[in-house]
Amino acid sequence: MDYCLSRTTILFPRLQVPYYSYHVHDRLTRSSCFGSSKSRSPSSLVVVASAEAVSSLNTPLVPGSLPGKFLSGVLQNERQCFHVAVAEQLRDLADDRDAARARMNLSYGSASSSESCLHRRIAELKEHDCQIAVEEIMYLLIFYKFSEIRVHLVPRLSRCIYNGRLEIWPSTDWALECIHSFEVLEMIKEHLTTVLGWKPNSNVTENWATTQIRRFHLGQIYAASILFGYFLKSASMRHHLEMSLLHTNHDHDHDHDLPSSNVSGFWSYGLKDLFLAPNGGSSQGQASSRQEKTEEKKLKCYVMGFDPETLQRCAKLKSKEAVNLVEKHSCALFGDEKTGLLETDDVISTSFSSMKRLVLEAVAFGSFLWDTEEFVDSVYKLKEN
């Protein structure tokens, strides 16, 4: 578990568990994951939804919504059932949002103007509450992915600074690097050199040498690294899919008995835009003429060949929930604990090793965010960014 040189224990008062938490947990106990509902006592429900369970995650961003608090408890006490509970919560949120919208649309033709305004306002509030809950669910899914590689998110920076110096120990660099392919890792190392001036062949003395950096600038580097990790995940998936398509075309060229409609089957899964060339034509036709060159193309060369439109498509966060989550997490991590503001002129003394640890975490966060966004959007339709 990651920890800082100065560790503090924050005590939170216990909360009264609302009916919503009992209701959701009772439905989950009927699943095979939780077993029989008769075997669980009411006191166990209180532990699951307690504030202490939420705070023990020790994350910069603490869930505040009822679904967020509930899932935090499940993650602590019923880890094997976490994804079952997440899917249940997402379906409930989607149903609540859709029901509010349906009542709003129904009121337009059969109710007075004042009643229509009321239903519209109710739908807006419900959608806002659902969006906040979904963002926290996405955050907990990302936390779960970090816990799978036995890495904890760095807590609030204000809790990691002792006598004006920031140090994060242990570094867990290897765990954060092993989730990436070799080609992606090479691009991450170049990113470290660009944003931090880090040298791949630096020794222990150089890694732990003291350097100074403004907190605001370090926050900018962290947020940019999240977007870089998101971009690398998107680009690598695009690269993998395009190479698979090229190999499929290559196999069809050597086997005329196979119907060509199998290749066009890719488009039925929403991948058409992914392979469209800037001029509006399919890259499938262009790729066949340069197939021998492209098949051996490495990820870095592939990315360097992106046109501005493709580059923006891969780098842009697809949902507004993802945009809000990056902003909230960055502000919670680097912002002032009293004011919550990120813009501060504080100068931090730290080491290249600690800064590298933060950047590697941010890149992994962006990669996990891409996966999480895809999963959540399949259950709860996210807002397009």
Side-chain angles (χ1 to χ4, degrees), residues 250-263:
H250 183 72
D251 293 339
H252 285 184
D253 290 340
H254 291 80
D255 191 351
H256 298 288
D257 295 334
L258 293 177
S260 59
S261 59
N262 287 344
V263 180

Side-chain angles (χ1 to χ4, degrees), residues 36 69 79 171 180 201 205 216 218-219 234 263 306 346 365:
S36 174
K69 292 177 181 179
R79 181 180 174 86
S171 61
H180 306 290
N201 57 349
T205 304
F216 178 69
L218 187 58
S234 178
V263 180
F306 281 177
D346 294 350
F365 191 101

Side-chain angles (χ1 to χ4, degrees), residues 189-210:
K189 290 179 179 178
E190 293 182 4
H191 175 71
L192 286 167
T193 302
T194 301
V195 299
L196 297 179
W198 175 78
K199 301 176 182 178
N201 57 349
S202 56
N203 54 38
V204 176
T205 304
E206 292 173 334
N207 282 334
W208 288 99
T210 301

Side-chain angles (χ1 to χ4, degrees), residues 114-129:
S114 59
E115 188 174 347
S116 298
C117 292
L118 177 61
H119 281 288
R120 183 175 69 251
R121 182 55 180 165
I122 292 175
E124 291 173 352
L125 292 174
K126 175 61 68 176
E127 188 165 357
H128 178 262
D129 291 343

Side-chain angles (χ1 to χ4, degrees), residues 37-48:
S37 60
K38 295 180 180 179
S39 63
R40 303 185 63 88
S41 62
S43 60
S44 64
L45 304 184
V46 178
V47 174
V48 167

